[in-house]
Amino acid sequence: MLKARTTCPLDCPDACSLIATIDEAQNRLLKIEGDPNHPVTQGFACVKTYRYPERNHHPLRPLYPLKRAGTKGGDKWKRVSWEEALDDIAARLKKILDAHGGEAVLPYHYAGTMGQMQYAHPNTFFRAIGASELDETICATAGAAAWEASYGSPRYGVDPEDVPRAKLIFLWGINSLYTNSHLTPKLKEARKNGARIVHIDPYESHTSKFADEHVKVRPGSDAALAYAMARVIVKAGLHDQVYLDRATKGLEAFMQEAEQWTLERAGAATAVPAETIERLALEFARAKASFIRTSYGITRHPGGASALRAITLLPAITGAWQYPGGGALLSTSGVFGLNKKFLGGEHLLKEPQTPKGYFRPNPRTRHINMTRLGSALTKLNPPIRALFVYNSNPAVVAPDSGKVREGLLREDLFTVVLEQAMTETAKYADYVLPATTFLEHPDLYTAYGHFYISWNQAVMKPQGEARPNTWVFAELGKRLDIEEPTLYWDADTLARSLLQNPTPWREGITLERLKKEGFIRLATPRPFLPFVNGANTPSGRIQFDPPPAVILDETTEEFPLTLLTPPAHHFLNSTYGHIEQLVEGEGGEPVLLVHPQDAKARGIVSGAQVRIRSRQGEVVRKAAVTGAPIAGTVVLEGTWWERPAPDGKGINHLTSERLTDMGGGSTFHSNPVQ
Ligand SMILES: Nc1nc2c(c(=O)[nH]1)N[C@H]1C(S)=C(S)[C@@H](COP(=O)(O)OP(=O)(O)OC[C@H]3O[C@@H](n4cnc5c(=O)[nH]c(N)nc54)[C@H](O)[C@@H]3O)O[C@H]1N2
Ligand SMILES: Nc1nc2c(c(=O)[nH]1)N[C@H]1C(S)=C(S)[C@@H](COP(=O)(O)OP(=O)(O)OC[C@H]3O[C@@H](n4cnc5c(=O)[nH]c(N)nc54)[C@H](O)[C@@H]3O)O[C@H]1N2
Ligand SMILES: [Mo]
């Protein structure tokens, strides 16, 4: 029996340190626990990841390369050898490259693993052949663009370990008890130290119940709420003029916009009572060490980036950034300052290269926004002819599933899916290639919810013939005679390159130390007060201008309700959606939450099956009539696999390819439906 430390690879801010118990003789993972030595993990894992043993050994895990033996979308496969699969894929690829060039090839990938090597490095292959470039917009680009417009790049905010020192906490557009559960102990500590916690969200969740107050806001209206609060603060003279003069720029333009958001008008737009807005604004300013934890959820609206900007500028008005625990946090990802020059072939897009054979880097290649995959596969001219999917499950997670499906069904599209599970995307593949899990390959990890960097050794042998993503693309690279050396790097070499040129905060963190210690905290000052004198913007100051726009969500007569589709407690996006115990934990099937007022108007009772229509399509769900959502808004938690739904269709059959106001991001929480 082996006990080994490892890092959770999933797309979650917490990047937990985990203790795996492994039966080495059987090569079986028996148990996952939280690492008691990690100051953020604090000895507990989440409800999902405790179930990783079932996932690692699930009957739906592909163990051998599989070649399609039936129709696309079906379930007929033939087991083939790696040799046969790779030779055939390389031959098909050469034919496409010869006839149509690199742009006919599209890699589609996201953050199934957050390990630098397996997440980002496979891109080297695609950049070497000049493939179409995927803009990775499905989650974080709207938030990134918004944060960077105000605070600059790299992106970081309050150190989560300073949160216990905050005196007032707004959990604004984040369901942190589900999606950032290792913040909870810090929130509890803050509360013990006297802080009050307010959840600002359109529906009541675990997080609302945990908070001291829940403010129900109309989706997509937060910019109006923030402006009204700014107006109250300045009118009461509670802004910090000395701080504003020293560290910020452009407040006048911002306040001109704010002037229009009287309590009355903001109350009407947001559905938050005027007294509440005023009280919260005054409390926020007076507490001084006020902290806003926000997340990407709030950005998934047509005006989402502007809303995020308006919210995260409030601590700049009051000067909260000067106090330990005060300020805002979207992500800590920028704090690590890795040297990404050779990660995923970045250099191939920047430095001129001499093409040779199939090595044809093309910095001017076309860009494809991943949020518009459906259109990319069905409408682009010249078309995509080869699609490689890894670390993602687009048939379920990408918007407008109907269109995505239409694309995946194209007989002239050659599709290869690298996977750890026979997902609904894998069913459309010409080849499914079995991928290793985080326990089976080495990798370097950072985090977006704390300041620790970590290294994973492979702690068990692969199941079946599973191989890392990077192994597959190196094998294809050899078959295409690509001489680019970084394509063949191992995880150690990549990690050493990423750790080169240390910033002062990363000084002394070497691969050798990481191998010995597992995880290491960055040497950031404590408390961490990054914006006490200014910001990382070109002006060196926090930017209020251009002032964020207020773009409200739209509904229509035909589609008068707003559908929110936020994360579920027991799944991580679609990961874990096939684990029986977790599906049970979520209630066995996806359920639509409907406010009693909206239910009554439509004759809906709890348990009834309802048809939900949008411009994109329709699905059938069981309804639960509950006061949890704000009236006019319906909520369906979780990007479930399709099978558990009554009609076998995923929720993204309803969502659209509409993009956010900045950053070209997805708008999953602003769907007009009936
Ligand atoms: N358990 C679990 N954890 C996860 C995930 C998961 O699927 N399950 N996913 C991971 C990933 S990839 C990400 S990006 C993060 C996402 O983490 P979060 O940002 O927490 O999740 P979101 O869906 O993006 O939105 C969270 C909350 O925003 C609210 N919201 C939506 N629109 C608005 C609005 O206009 N105004 C306000 N005030 N609130 C709004 C939703 O009701 C929801 O409660 O979580 C990660 N962690
Ligand atoms: N309606 C709606 N849709 C959403 C969201 C929403 O809130 N509402 N959230 C969006 C967000 S925030 C995000 S981030 C996206 C996430 O969408 P995805 O990035 O697609 O995330 P997952 O659904 O978790 O799928 C990840 C897949 O990667 C596989 N995988 C994991 N590790 C590896 C590996 O090492 N190699 C290979 N080859 N595969 C691996 C897993 O088995 C899994 O099937 O979904 C988005 N979709
Ligand atoms: Mo995400």
Side-chain angles (χ1 to χ4, degrees):
M1 215 69 74
L2 170 74
K3 277 208 183 231
R5 195 217 68 83
T6 181
T7 307
C8 182
L10 296 177
D11 185 355
C12 163
D14 300 7
C16 288
S17 184
L18 302 172
I19 308 295
T21 306
I22 294 155
D23 178 339
E24 285 177 289
Q26 303 289 325
N27 195 33
R28 264 194 104 77
L29 174 67
L30 300 178
K31 198 174 180 185
I32 286 284
E33 294 164 287
D35 182 349
N37 294 318
H38 192 287
V40 177
T41 306
Q42 295 194 9
F44 72 96
C46 66
V47 63
K48 316 177 280 306
T49 295
Y50 281 123
R51 302 250 84 91
Y52 210 90
E54 279 106 292
R55 181 173 195 277
N56 208 56
H57 302 286
H58 199 278
L60 284 178
R61 180 161 178 198
L63 298 177
Y64 309 98
L66 299 171
K67 183 175 180 174
R68 185 157 61 84
T71 52
K72 289 200 176 191
D75 244 336
K76 281 209 180 119
W77 303 96
K78 180 180 160 223
R79 178 177 165 181
V80 294
S81 68
W82 270 110
E83 216 49 31
E84 187 183 338
L86 291 165
D87 287 349
D88 191 32
I89 293 168
R92 303 272 305 254
L93 204 48
K94 281 182 185 173
K95 235 190 231 162
I96 290 169
L97 293 172
D98 288 340
H100 307 285
E103 288 188 341
V105 180
L106 179 69
Y108 187 95
H109 48 94
Y110 201 60
T113 170
M114 297 288 284
Q116 297 290 324
M117 177 86 176
Q118 297 311 330
Y119 170 97
H121 210 53
N123 236 342
T124 314
F125 175 76
F126 295 98
R127 286 168 176 168
I129 62 173
S132 286
E133 180 77 14
L134 187 78
D135 287 339
E136 296 178 58
T137 57
I138 200 144
C139 177
T141 47
W147 184 273
E148 287 169 15
S150 306
Y151 291 99
S153 172
R155 212 171 343 130
Y156 45 73
V158 170
D159 177 351
E161 290 180 86
D162 287 342
V163 168
R165 300 178 70 173
K167 292 295 170 226
L168 174 69
I169 297 171
F170 285 177
L171 301 172
W172 198 331
I174 180 170
N175 186 355
S176 73
L177 265 69
Y178 287 5
T179 62
N180 180 197
S181 57
H182 290 80
L183 184 67
T184 312
K186 311 288 173 207
L187 297 173
K188 286 182 177 163
E189 261 183 79
R191 179 184 273 156
K192 223 163 75 199
N193 297 337
R196 218 169 70 80
I197 302 172
V198 180
H199 188 214
I200 306 176
D201 200 290
Y203 85 105
E204 186 182 80
S205 60
H206 282 27
T207 304
S208 329
K209 289 178 190 148
F210 167 83
D212 300 299
E213 180 179 358
H214 177 206
V215 176
K216 267 191 201 173
V217 63
R218 187 170 289 144
S221 70
D222 304 79
L225 184 58
Y227 269 129
M229 288 173 65
R231 186 171 174 274
V232 169
I233 290 167
V234 173
K235 283 240 177 320
L238 292 171
H239 53 298
D240 184 334
Q241 195 62 53
V242 178
Y243 177 78
L244 285 162
D245 289 344
R246 177 175 83 235
T248 78
K249 198 164 166 276
L251 182 70
E252 300 70 32
F254 184 92
M255 290 313 299
Q256 249 169 41
E257 188 69 35
E259 197 45 50
Q260 303 171 43
W261 291 98
T262 59
L263 286 171
E264 202 179 20
R265 185 160 171 238
T270 62
V272 180
E275 317 78 79
T276 306
I277 302 177
E278 185 172 35
R279 174 171 55 77
L280 290 175
L282 296 174
E283 195 185 353
F284 184 86
R286 289 183 179 134
K288 296 207 186 294
S290 299
F291 170 57
I292 299 174
R293 176 61 166 124
T294 185
S295 180
Y296 296 100
I298 203 156
T299 68
R300 309 204 196 292
H301 297 269
S306 298
L308 189 101
R309 276 199 72 216
I311 292 165
T312 51
L313 282 167
L314 290 175
I317 298 177
T318 60
W321 288 108
Q322 301 164 104
Y323 307 96
L329 177 65
L330 171 67
S331 165
T332 63
S333 60
V335 83
F336 297 93
L338 294 180
N339 170 42
K340 296 192 173 173
K341 188 165 173 208
F342 298 110
L343 178 65
E346 281 288 331
H347 61 296
L348 301 176
L349 293 177
K350 288 184 183 134
E351 293 156 20
Q353 308 282 333
T354 314
K356 192 176 167 217
Y358 291 102
F359 179 70
R360 303 169 189 166
N362 178 9
R364 284 197 302 275
T365 190
R366 66 178 167 188
H367 281 238
I368 290 174
N369 184 322
M370 74 188 297
T371 301
R372 298 196 155 154
L373 178 66
S375 291
L377 294 180
T378 54
K379 293 192 185 133
L380 265 192
N381 202 7
I384 300 295
R385 295 171 193 272
L387 174 71
F388 285 78
V389 180
Y390 53 95
N391 305 341
S392 186
N393 184 13
V396 174
V397 307
D400 201 347
S401 302
K403 220 186 272 171
V404 173
R405 220 47 75 97
E406 192 188 324
L408 291 174
L409 276 168
R410 267 175 48 203
E411 276 307 324
D412 62 338
L413 180 72
F414 178 60
T415 303
V416 178
V417 175
L418 288 67
E419 252 302 353
Q420 301 166 340
M422 283 305 273
T423 59
E424 280 136 348
T425 304
K427 293 189 174 183
Y428 294 87
D430 293 285
Y431 280 99
V432 177
L433 304 177
T436 42
T437 64
F438 73 110
L439 302 154
E440 302 160 359
H441 55 238
D443 216 328
L444 185 80
Y445 294 82
T446 59
Y448 62 98
H450 60 65
F451 286 11
Y452 295 78
I453 187 164
S454 62
W455 170 258
N456 280 11
Q457 212 52 43
V459 296
M460 59 193 290
K461 290 195 282 295
Q463 295 297 310
E465 292 178 2
R467 294 288 178 271
N469 300 335
T470 47
W471 179 86
V472 172
F473 293 113
E475 286 299 315
L476 291 175
K478 286 181 205 161
R479 284 165 175 79
L480 267 61
D481 300 316
I482 292 171
E483 285 170 20
E484 168 58 31
T486 61
L487 176 59
Y488 304 101
W489 278 4
D490 61 12
D492 278 45
T493 311
L494 179 69
R496 286 209 168 81
S497 164
L498 289 166
L499 292 170
Q500 258 172 19
N501 309 327
T503 57
W505 298 339
R506 195 160 41 73
E507 197 70 59
I509 301 184
T510 59
L511 183 57
E512 284 60 41
R513 268 190 71 197
L514 281 168
K515 283 189 174 177
K516 207 153 68 202
E517 298 167 44
F519 55 83
I520 302 176
R521 194 187 194 280
L522 295 174
T524 50
R526 303 185 82 161
F528 187 58
L529 301 173
F531 305 118
V532 77
N533 288 312
N536 304 320
T537 56
S539 69
R541 292 165 175 231
I542 300 170
Q543 283 292 145
F544 281 98
D545 60 40
V550 181
I551 305 161
L552 299 172
D553 274 15
E554 286 158 24
T555 50
T556 63
E557 224 167 282
E558 193 185 359
F559 301 111
L561 300 168
T562 300
L563 168 70
L564 297 186
T565 62
H569 193 194
H570 296 79
F571 309 139
L572 194 295
N573 302 321
S574 75
T575 298
Y576 294 121
H578 62 305
I579 307 301
E580 293 76 4
Q581 290 219 34
L582 293 172
V583 172
E584 278 314 302
E586 273 302 308
E589 67 173 291
V591 170
L592 186 78
L593 309 182
V594 188
H595 189 275
Q597 221 169 286
D598 300 319
K600 195 167 168 222
R602 293 166 179 78
I604 296 169
V605 293
S606 276
Q609 286 202 347
V610 296
R611 203 147 49 87
I612 318 167
R613 283 191 306 118
S614 77
R615 277 185 206 101
Q616 282 62 243
E618 68 174 58
V619 304
V620 176
R621 291 293 182 267
K622 195 192 272 180
V625 179
T626 153
I630 189 168
T633 294
V634 289
V635 180
L636 197 133
E637 286 184 344
T639 21
W640 292 64
W641 281 38
E642 302 207 310
R643 289 178 315 182
D647 58 350
K649 284 166 78 182
I651 198 65
N652 280 318
H653 280 273
L654 298 178
T655 58
S656 82
E657 292 183 350
R658 178 154 186 194
L659 302 181
T660 51
D661 46 342
M662 295 166 75
S666 56
T667 54
F668 290 117
H669 301 332
S670 61
N671 314 289
V673 298
Q674 172 62 294

